[in-house]
Amino acid sequence: NAGVTQTPKFRVLKTGQSMTLLCAQDMNHEYMYWYRQDPGMGLRLIHYSVGEGTTAKGEVPDGYNVSRLKKQNFLLGLESAAPSQTSVYFCASSYRFHGYTFGSGTRLTVV
Amino acid sequence: KQEVTQIPAALSVPEGENLVLNCSFTDSAIYNLQWFRQDPGKGLTSLLLIQSSQREQTSGRLNASLDKSSGRSTLYIAASQPGDSATYLCAVGGSQGNLIFGKGTKLSVKP
């Protein structure tokens, strides 16, 4: 009954460091998404996946990479963090047009 | 490019009032429209999902309508309560299941 779990919940990075955000879902959803939420900008889609082994770019993909090696997991990587990537990151999963479920978010600060 | 606009950006009402939140979108070729609630520092909770073939959905004191031809949706909240205070987000669904979000309406219900 966990739904969508994101780890970590908080992280502070120095400019140039790398990290991976993990998203795990237990609802057997085919579709998974990574969004970022910034003040005054709303939520914007970074990358998404329509099934195991597939990934696609969203609205703001630059500086991020993703992988979906297992159906239940969707990883978001930052290879060289920049202050502009300071944001709250949300993972979500769904069936194609229903069942959307969001995680509780990861608050990332890049200094 | 699909754009979603929510008006007003903020709203303050006394407890017990009925209220309407507005959402408009520029491209009527949507697969669904969804209303979410977001409490401060938290993730998103789905309130109502309207598929493209539907005109409205109801859940308790909430009613959402969809007019695809005019690119509009409204969320009606009856008999508002202080516990309804939150940010309400409107999102339209694209062909890959991805959601395009508005920037939200921040609602404050005063006791």
Side-chain angles (χ1 to χ4, degrees):
Chain A
N1 60 354
V4 176
T5 303
Q6 291 184 232
T7 52
K9 296 190 183 306
F10 303 93
R11 185 75 185 268
V12 178
L13 283 180
K14 294 182 179 179
T15 296
Q17 287 185 320
S18 63
M19 78 164 294
T20 299
L21 282 67
L22 172 63
C23 177
Q25 54 96 2
D26 61 1
M27 296 167 286
N28 203 35
H29 285 163
E30 286 293 335
Y31 289 66
M32 297 188 74
Y33 319 86
W34 276 106
Y35 292 88
R36 60 178 289 174
Q37 185 175 36
D38 303 292
M41 299 295 294
L43 280 95
R44 293 178 292 169
L45 183 66
I46 305 172
H47 286 281
Y48 64 99
S49 168
V50 301
E52 181 178 319
T54 73
T55 63
K57 295 180 180 180
E59 181 184 356
V60 288
D62 294 343
Y64 305 94
N65 56 76
V66 288
S67 65
R68 183 122 180 249
L69 299 179
K70 294 183 178 181
K71 185 177 183 178
Q72 63 268 33
N73 296 336
F74 195 29
L75 279 63
L76 178 70
L78 285 73
E79 292 186 345
S80 179
S84 61
Q85 295 177 304
T86 293
S87 187
V88 181
Y89 292 84
F90 287 101
C91 177
S93 69
S94 74
Y95 299 108
R96 187 175 180 189
F97 295 127
H98 67 280
Y100 298 96
T101 305
F102 279 76
S104 58
T106 295
R107 189 172 297 272
L108 175 66
T109 302
V110 183
V111 298
Chain B
K1 176 186 174 185
Q2 177 74 270
E3 293 184 1
V4 181
T5 302
Q6 291 188 245
I7 295 174
L11 181 63
S12 182
V13 300
E15 182 177 4
E17 268 202 12
N18 302 326
L19 57 99
V20 175
L21 306 182
N22 296 293
C23 173
S24 62
F25 46 95
T26 55
D27 186 349
S28 62
I30 64 171
Y31 286 77
N32 55 51
L33 185 140
Q34 192 158 185
W35 286 92
F36 292 90
R37 169 185 172 136
Q38 185 176 30
D39 293 290
K42 303 293 185 181
L44 281 68
T45 300
S46 178
L47 297 173
L48 292 165
L49 169 64
I50 310 175
Q51 298 294 351
S52 61
S53 59
Q54 298 173 323
R55 294 298 300 269
E56 67 175 344
Q57 283 287 338
T58 298
S59 176
R61 295 182 293 109
L62 304 180
N63 175 274
S65 66
L66 173 63
D67 185 341
K68 279 181 57 178
S69 61
S70 67
R72 296 180 185 275
S73 175
T74 60
L75 178 66
Y76 175 83
I77 303 177
S80 58
Q81 303 171 357
D84 295 330
S85 298
T87 296
Y88 290 80
L89 297 167
C90 169
V92 298
S95 61
Q96 296 301 313
N98 56 301
L99 297 174
I100 299 102
F101 284 85
K103 295 179 181 179
T105 294
K106 186 175 183 179
L107 174 65
S108 176
V109 181
K110 306 292 187 183

